[in-house]
Amino acid sequence: MSKVAIVTGAGRGIGRGIALKLAKELDYNIVVVDIDEESASSVAQEIKNVGKDAIAVKCDVSNNEDVERMVEKSFEFGEVDAVVNNAGITRDSLLLKMSEKDWDMVLNINLKALFLINKAVCSKWVSECKKIAEDLGEDRPAPSAYPKRKIVNISSIVAKGGNVGQANYVSSKAGVIGLTKTIAKEMSRYNVNCNAVQPGFIKTPMTDKMPEKIINKFIAAIPLQRMGLPEDIAGSVKFLCSPDSDYITGFSIEVDGGLDM
Ligand code: NAP
């Protein structure tokens, strides 16, 4: 039976690239999660066209009721083995001009959502592990007694050094790294690996709205002299979801063309 991966914000951009790669190259069926139902359905159809199964689930990842419903649907769809928390937004302005509303919105979607989703999914996994332990008649079996599970959280390279105009975004993405390391420590005993990816400057609808002058300035600072593509990020997510990374947890991969060496 195919494994299932949940990918959030998968209606476009990096999330779409991740969903397609996991389906095509790691044999996953995909739960395509997005706040925009139409784009989620369209990506689910693309996945079906390459011979894998997919469902589209409309979900605001910052809303706990939506998240619980989405996680229930995902476990009904199949055996969820991986979660990629990719949905994210920007609401940029300088600290002195930043509204409380924009601070809260970015922190809720980019960070609180990961707490909600990872908690809901891990709770299902732990219940299953407890049944396995009971069947084995052991209180605390070694992690290898349980199925291998993977969480990948999408952070950003700006979490390392800060970025002008992004106090809310940088704080949320730095929080993602802390959350990733903590989940890695808490969930290792259940054979769950939790890692992060820190993209640099990637060509997606999120960056398409930036002025060309700023885009060119960024590209000039990238040693590999180009913007990244969603596939560049999808490649490292694929690695972190594959057996090749089974002994890696609490780690973060920087995929930024050398921008922050
Ligand atoms: P994107 O093109 O804006 O795509 C983000 C997707 O997430 C969209 O489909 C969006 O839906 C969805 N989304 C937004 N809010 C949501 C919510 N509350 N619940 C569920 N889905 C929601 O962004 P991207 O560039 O692919 O970025 C993906 C991730 O990579 C984000 O976490 C971003 O912070 C991170 N990242 C991106 C870059 C970059 O250069 N692009 C760099 C570093 C990190 P709508 O279309 O309806 O808004």
Side-chain angles (χ1 to χ4, degrees):
M1 194 171 91
S2 273
K3 307 163 288 181
V4 169
I6 298 174
V7 184
T8 71
R12 68 180 200 196
I14 293 172
R16 173 181 167 273
I18 293 169
L20 286 168
K21 202 170 202 52
L22 295 186
K24 283 186 203 162
E25 297 178 24
L26 277 190
D27 204 32
Y28 274 104
N29 291 329
I30 308 290
V31 182
V32 182
V33 178
D34 206 283
I35 200 161
D36 183 67
E37 198 165 16
E38 214 178 300
S39 61
S41 299
S42 147
V43 172
Q45 190 54 53
E46 282 188 82
I47 290 166
K48 288 179 187 169
N49 292 347
V50 298
K52 298 303 301 174
D53 203 2
I55 52 167
V57 182
K58 177 181 162 65
C59 167
D60 173 354
V61 292
S62 64
N63 177 303
N64 198 27
E65 271 179 34
D66 271 20
V67 166
E68 285 183 353
R69 190 180 42 83
M70 178 276 284
V71 170
E72 281 307 320
K73 274 193 181 175
S74 303
F75 278 80
E76 281 162 23
F77 177 56
E79 196 178 322
V80 176
D81 263 356
V83 182
V84 183
N85 288 292
N86 163 80
I89 60 161
T90 52
R91 289 294 180 275
D92 297 352
S93 63
L94 293 172
L95 177 68
L96 297 188
K97 290 183 177 165
M98 188 171 286
S99 67
E100 191 179 345
K101 184 172 161 245
D102 281 350
W103 171 272
D104 287 344
M105 193 172 179
V106 169
L107 267 290
N108 285 340
I109 293 173
N110 294 6
L111 182 59
K112 186 181 113 180
L114 277 63
F115 156 68
L116 297 176
I117 293 174
N118 289 330
K119 183 179 170 189
V121 171
C122 286
S123 145
K124 297 260 186 205
W125 285 341
V126 168
S127 300
E128 195 193 319
C129 289
K130 287 191 170 155
K131 280 191 204 123
I132 293 172
E134 218 176 279
D135 290 347
L136 291 171
E138 287 180 43
D139 261 0
R140 197 166 169 155
S144 58
Y146 305 126
K148 172 56 75 192
R149 263 77 200 248
K150 305 280 180 126
I151 297 172
V152 182
N153 296 323
I154 305 299
S155 172
S156 168
I157 201 68
V158 296
K160 281 181 77 186
N163 202 22
V164 172
Q166 292 197 309
N168 48 5
Y169 185 78
V170 171
S171 303
S172 70
K173 295 299 186 180
V176 168
I177 300 294
L179 181 67
T180 299
K181 288 176 185 292
T182 302
I183 293 174
K185 287 190 172 169
E186 290 187 6
M187 292 299 297
S188 289
R189 61 177 283 207
Y190 298 108
N191 211 15
V192 177
N193 296 37
C194 184
N195 292 293
V197 172
Q198 288 178 267
F201 193 41
I202 313 299
K203 185 162 173 42
T204 70
M206 183 186 265
T207 45
D208 281 347
K209 61 190 178 195
M210 293 170 70
E212 203 183 326
K213 213 171 119 187
I214 307 271
I215 291 182
N216 289 336
K217 209 174 127 196
F218 267 111
I219 292 173
I222 300 171
L224 287 176
Q225 294 178 28
R226 67 167 176 90
M227 286 180 84
L229 299 172
E231 295 70 39
D232 292 314
I233 306 305
S236 45
V237 173
K238 175 191 157 190
F239 168 67
L240 291 173
C241 288
S242 81
D244 288 344
S245 61
D246 278 0
Y247 201 55
I248 298 175
T249 195
F251 185 64
S252 179
I253 302 183
E254 297 170 11
V255 187
D256 67 352
L259 183 64
D260 195 295
M261 272 194 263

